[in-house]
């Protein structure tokens, strides 16, 4: 691909390689140390760290993990690595000799030495104390040992794949939760996000239909629980932050998507849009239901038009739900500031409960509807469901689910 204008000339090379080429799913955790590393400074000792490097099928190199730097030390012992996914390490092909461990020094990343090419399977089977030479080529292209890498611990935990869960009978259910706060505007007016025209579904309905068309293929009964929040309803007192669209607190399920739409349309004229926007009641109630639904994994689809007012309570509810068979997808409707939704997504920083606990898995995905409006419902559904397979796999591993 050539890039050219009046000021700049350049070339952008785009390559694509298979992400997954094998069938070994799971995570590996390592504890490494080194001995007798070469001094890389004229004065003083080295500042060593290590990288786990993967060689892709197109010849490119990819850093899978980089450790912390230990200052002025020739016999370092590094912290235990986080859980390293086999998909990232080797594309789930544990027999592929595509990995090396490289030991470097300081911010300049001067290479002290690296191991021979390894397979992920070899790493997984390392016994405590396994030693590997760290070598480099000198000016005469001879390999010179410049230290010893020691595998103090290698712990592999197998994971049931998403497909494996489905084949074992796990069903995927979707629950809807719709924002009826006042910022949506009067549903009778065309500029309202809830404006209801049977001939032209509003953004809330378009988003629900796009996702349900995919998920219902993995749900045998196609029964969808549907809820709302942020409004005064005919069957609750005052503003409710969690209510069933059909008014039946004991059975909020709708029989198919058409009933969800019909129930939504019937309820609209009976609601008094209110506020504030609170997510925590919905998450806690749906999570409780998910825990009591055997062999069912629930995707909670929260559709909202703006920022929430119970951020810490919502974070606490998400952290409390990290072991539940639950994923939360937040779809932003309209043009509001959704920065708080990005924070809940947790991709940049793990969510932390007010009692100090850190969420043990990522279970939230945020998708702004307007970015996908012109791309069609298929692209929206693909983006909404993109993280679900991995979230299901991590949930299974966290709960030690085997079939």
């Amino acid at each position: 691909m050539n890039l050219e204008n009046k000021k700049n000339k350049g070339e952008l090379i785009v390559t694509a390689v298979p992400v997954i080429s094998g069938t070994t799913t799971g995570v590996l955790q390592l504890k490494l140390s080194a001995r007798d590393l070469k001094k890389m400074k004229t004065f003083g000792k080295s500042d060593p760290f290590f990288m786990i490097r993967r060689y892709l099928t197109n010849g490119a190199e990819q850093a899978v993990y980089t450790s912390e730097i230990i200052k002025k030390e020739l016999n370092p012992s590094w912290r235990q690595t986080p859980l390293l996914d086999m998909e990232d390490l080797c594309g789930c092909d544990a027999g592929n000799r595509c990995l090396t461990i490289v030991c470097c020094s300081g911010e300049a990343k001067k290479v002290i030495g690296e191991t021979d090419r390894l397979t992920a399977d070899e790493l997984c089977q390392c016994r405590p104390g396994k030693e590997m030479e760290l070598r480099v080529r000198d000016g005469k292209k001879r390999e010179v040992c410049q230290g010893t890498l020691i595998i103090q611990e290698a712990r592999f935990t197998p994971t049931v794949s998403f497909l494996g869960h489905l084949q074992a009978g796990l069903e995927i259910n979707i629950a809807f939760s719709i924002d009826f706060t006042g910022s949506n505007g009067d549903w009778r007016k065309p500029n309202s996000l809830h404006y209801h025209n049977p001939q032209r579904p509003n953004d809330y309905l378009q988003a629900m239909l796009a996702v349900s068309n995919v998920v219902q293929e993995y749900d045998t009964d196609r029964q969808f629980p549907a809820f709302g929040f942020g409004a005064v309803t005919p069957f609750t007192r005052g503003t409710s932050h969690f209510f069933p669209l059909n008014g039946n607190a004991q059975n909020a399920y709708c029989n198919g998507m058409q009933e969800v739409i019909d129930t939504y349309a019937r309820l609209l004229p009976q609601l008094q849009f209110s506020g504030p926007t609170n997510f925590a009641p919905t998450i806690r109630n749906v999570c409780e239901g998910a825990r009591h639904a055997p062999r069912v994994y629930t995707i909670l689809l929260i559709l909202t038009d703006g920022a929430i007012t119970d951020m810490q309570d919502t974070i606490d509810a998400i952290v409390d739900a990290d072991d539940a068979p639950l994923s939360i997808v937040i779809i932003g409707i309209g043009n509001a500031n959704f920065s708080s939704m990005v924070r809940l997504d947790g991709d940049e920083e793990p969510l932390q409960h007010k009692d100090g606990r850190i969420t043990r898995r990522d279970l939230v995905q945020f998708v702004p509807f307007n970015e996908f409006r012109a791309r069609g419902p298929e692209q929206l559904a693909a983006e909404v469901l993109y993280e679900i397979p991995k979230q299901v796999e991590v949930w299974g591993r966290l709960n030690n689910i085997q079939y």
Side-chain angles (χ1 to χ4, degrees):
M1 181 185 297
N2 292 319
L3 305 176
E4 185 173 346
N5 58 32
K6 294 180 180 180
K7 295 183 179 180
N8 300 306
K9 292 184 178 181
E11 186 175 87
L12 174 66
I13 300 174
V14 179
T15 59
V17 296
V19 175
I20 301 177
S21 56
T23 58
T24 303
T25 56
V27 291
L28 174 65
Q29 193 165 39
L30 297 169
K31 177 76 171 68
L32 305 184
S33 63
R35 185 181 69 242
D36 301 329
L37 295 180
K38 180 181 178 181
K39 289 175 59 175
M40 302 302 288
K41 295 181 178 180
T42 304
F43 304 100
K45 300 179 181 180
S46 300
D47 300 327
F49 67 95
F50 72 88
M51 293 186 295
I52 300 177
R53 182 180 292 166
R54 176 185 174 187
Y55 291 89
L56 303 176
T57 53
N58 65 348
E61 300 175 6
Q62 183 180 75
V64 178
Y65 173 73
T66 301
S67 76
E68 77 279 12
I69 294 175
I70 298 180
K71 295 286 188 178
K72 301 178 182 180
E73 182 59 67
L74 300 181
N75 299 287
S77 180
W78 291 281
R79 289 194 300 264
Q80 193 173 48
T81 69
L83 298 175
L84 305 173
D85 198 294
M86 295 297 282
E87 181 179 321
D88 299 323
L89 281 170
C90 59
C92 298
D93 184 357
N96 184 7
R97 198 167 293 281
C98 62
L99 298 171
T100 61
I101 301 176
V102 186
C103 189
C104 302
S105 178
E107 295 180 359
K109 297 184 179 180
K110 293 182 180 179
V111 175
I112 298 173
E114 66 179 289
T115 65
D116 291 334
R117 290 277 189 104
L118 301 162
T119 69
D121 191 46
E122 288 171 339
L123 277 178
C124 292
Q125 295 183 28
C126 280
R127 294 183 177 180
K130 169 73 175 179
E131 296 186 357
M132 302 179 187
E133 288 189 345
L134 293 166
R135 296 193 293 264
V136 293
R137 291 184 181 275
D138 63 12
K140 297 181 180 180
K141 297 185 178 180
R142 295 176 301 187
E143 287 196 345
V144 179
C145 178
Q146 299 199 142
T148 301
L149 184 75
I150 305 168
I151 311 293
Q152 299 284 6
E153 183 180 3
R155 183 183 303 163
F156 174 69
T157 305
T159 299
V160 178
S161 69
F162 178 62
L163 181 59
H165 281 291
L166 296 180
Q167 290 174 335
L170 184 71
E171 291 195 8
I172 305 297
N173 180 244
I174 188 166
F176 299 106
S177 186
I178 304 170
D179 183 340
F180 291 108
T181 55
S183 53
N184 283 281
D186 188 336
W187 69 273
R188 292 164 295 189
K189 297 181 179 180
N191 63 350
S192 170
L193 295 173
H194 277 294
Y195 179 66
H196 184 58
N197 180 349
Q199 306 305 318
R200 186 178 179 182
N202 60 40
D203 290 354
Y204 281 95
L205 293 178
Q206 287 184 48
M208 289 192 289
L209 286 168
V211 178
S212 66
N213 284 341
V214 176
V215 174
Q216 67 184 1
E217 298 304 320
Y218 304 98
D219 185 355
T220 55
D221 64 11
R222 302 194 178 186
Q223 299 281 315
F224 304 110
F227 306 97
F229 60 91
V232 178
T233 79
F235 36 83
T236 59
R237 290 185 178 181
T239 299
S240 175
H241 301 297
F242 179 73
F243 57 87
L245 295 193
N246 63 8
N248 186 347
Q250 304 305 315
N251 184 4
Y253 285 84
C254 295
N255 186 17
M257 275 308 298
Q258 188 58 53
E259 186 171 318
V260 173
I261 295 171
D262 293 343
T263 304
Y264 165 86
R266 284 196 305 269
L267 184 61
L268 268 179
Q270 304 177 60
L271 294 178
Q272 179 184 332
F273 290 8
S274 182
T277 305
N278 293 343
F279 283 3
T282 293
I283 294 172
R284 291 197 183 280
N285 278 279
V286 173
C287 177
E288 185 66 18
R291 291 186 188 279
H292 290 90
R295 302 182 73 82
V296 174
Y297 190 93
T298 298
I299 301 172
L300 169 59
L301 193 69
I302 300 177
L303 302 104
T304 185
D305 78 324
I308 63 173
T309 52
D310 65 340
M311 175 61 79
Q312 189 57 55
D313 284 346
T314 295
I315 290 174
D316 292 351
I318 292 170
V319 175
D320 288 339
D322 66 0
D323 65 335
L326 177 71
S327 286
I328 301 167
V329 179
I330 303 169
I331 298 185
I333 305 294
N335 300 306
N337 181 353
F338 291 113
S339 57
S340 58
M341 305 301 133
V342 175
R343 181 184 172 193
L344 291 177
D345 196 307
D347 288 343
E348 296 181 0
E349 183 179 355
L351 299 179
Q352 183 172 9
H353 196 284
K354 61 173 175 279
D355 67 9
R357 286 180 292 132
I358 303 293
T359 183
R360 292 171 292 177
R361 71 178 180 107
D362 174 20
L363 64 155
V364 180
Q365 162 90 337
F366 169 66
V367 178
F369 178 82
N370 280 352
E371 289 188 13
F372 294 87
R373 181 198 300 276
R375 304 186 201 177
E378 295 82 6
Q379 285 295 315
L380 174 65
E383 182 67 17
V384 165
L385 301 173
Y386 176 73
E387 294 185 6
I388 300 299
K390 180 61 65 179
Q391 291 176 1
V392 171
E393 291 172 2
V394 177
W395 160 77
R397 184 176 70 241
L398 189 62
N399 289 276
N400 195 29
I401 293 176
Q402 301 290 331
Y403 301 104

